[in-house]
Amino acid sequence: MTPADAHVQLVRDATFARLDAAGGISGTRGTLPDGLFLRDARHLSRWHLTVDGTEPAALVPATAETDDKATSVLTPPGTRDNPPAYTVFREQTVSAGALTEHLRLVSNRPDPVTARVEITVDADFADLFELRADDRHYDKPGGRRQVQRTDEGLVFDYRRADWHSRTTLVCHPAPTGLDTVRGTPHPTARTLSWHLELAAHGQADLHLTVHARPHGLPDGTPTVARPQRRTPAATDDLTRTCERGLADVDLLTIPVTGVDGEEAHVPAAGIPWFLTLFGRDSLLTSYFLLPYRPTTAAATLSALAATQGRHHDPASGEQPGRIVHETRHGELAHFRQVPYGRYYGAVDATPLFLVLLHAHYETTGDPALAVRLERHARRAVDWMLTDGGLEKHGYLVYQPDPHGLVNQNWKDSAGAVCFADGTQAEGPIAVSEVQGYAYDALIRTAELASALWRDEPYARRLREAATALRTRFVTDFWMPDADFPALALDGNGRQADALTSDAGHLLWSGILDQDRARRVGERLLQPDFFSGWAIRTLAAGQKPYHPLSYHRGSAWPHDNAVIVLGLAHHRLAEQARTVAEGLVAAAAHHDYRLPEVLAGYDRTATARPVPYPHSCSPQAWAAATPLALRTALDML
């Protein structure tokens, strides 16, 4: 909770809740909606407490004692001469698919008294895409919400065609009253009431449990295995940032299905919007964690192999061999009102899949996974050569998707892949860093083919393709006047000449020679790029620069982590240490948790980094960033 956002966020086992300062939920929408959420849906949209007809105020606002538990202290109105009659101690805990609440009502009176406690509750089952939509309305033909009383509480029910979700409320003791909420647009809202008897200075307890039962999951509590932590060695603030990052990765770990039907536990992308499997995010997060948690990489690779494209589907972008961008489980995805049930609109996830597969073998020395996924790896290479565009265009390219993502690299917001004048590039677009990923993927897969698959002709073909790609990349992308690589080539082969952080990824992938890599690395540490906290996504001073733009001037920790790994690879020790120090200093101002995005303001302008207003927290690849920094520093 921050002063600018008087809410507390709790998360555990693929479930999260956002509560106001008093522990309540009012059904807000927009940037940071409140509620109880599981599998892309809100299962609790109202949770409002009153005592004797008044809403108690937060004497001690809701505070996260741990990542999954918050406590608060509330009192009804009172004055100096007539202090509050009661004190309410509230404890709220999130677990797999559930919100549990313990209310302890303590009387401050010297005589016995009966308190009337009421809680108004509702479940709107809103899809996350509905909640964050600005002006867009999604029709739900045939959708029906109902509520039924049970002996111990309520059951909220939502049906639409073959879709069925429920939320159950269990109360101990059972409520003594139940009323429909009048004068509200929410017909299923109900107010439960209790008359609790308190002795002089006595207390009474109320226990409430809300269970989310989303569509597609059987009844019962989902479980998530907790991976064992291995903390990297260090003795400074980086250690604390690594420990916080590992704890956040634990919070974001979700169960999915692996390639052979096994349950795999993978890092979801982030909260609140992306608590699901994301190709690019999960792959880079797993790569950052690889020296410390190789099992995460193995699970991610298995899960992505299980969802690898098999057919051509223009609506979702699915193509044979392509690695999925994201998976969704919500109602709108189920009815294909949004394309993200399985959405393949990422040009970089497929080469990154191959990079991680080889890196897992290289790090662990265990060939089993690379052998097990040989068929999937070959399909991924086939996609790069065919639908991906390497054979036809000479590069991995994407066409902007008018119904999905306009840009399909990691900078996937509209306008992010632009010229120096701010004009968005038009497709087919070849983004610079993705060509580096492709080069690295070809080289690494050739090594697997030679060492494990015993297919030297295939290995030779991939090496030749990689060499040719590296040669033409420098010819087509290098801008002699700027002495820097272009951000992209547009559909006409023109260089998108904005100076951006994407160039730093080329040091990691190895597509640049040592001399050019050194020049790029030194350029990225100039003041227009490096804010003192981190390297900006787009250098200041250019027309499209904005310090609060999502991808045109902000600074992303994971982006910097890739760059620092590249700087270390090319032995640019001073530059690598400088960026790492800035990121760790930024983390120290956020309780050692790196946010997804930082504003691009210079470190000399403010005493602490300015947060980006719509940043996810926790967020997987930001959480894993300090582990990548540790690895890079160990290389120097």
Side-chain angles (χ1 to χ4, degrees), residues 52 68 74 92 165 208 219 341 347 357 423 538 603 632:
D52 285 346
D68 54 7
L74 315 174
Q92 296 166 297
S165 295
L208 310 164
D219 283 354
V347 71
L357 182 63
T423 305
L538 186 141
R603 189 171 179 174

Side-chain angles (χ1 to χ4, degrees), residues 527-550:
D528 59 342
F529 262 119
F530 185 59
S531 72
W533 303 113
I535 294 169
R536 299 179 178 97
T537 48
L538 186 141
Q542 301 177 92
K543 184 177 179 180
Y545 171 75
H546 192 304
L548 293 174
S549 170
Y550 199 48

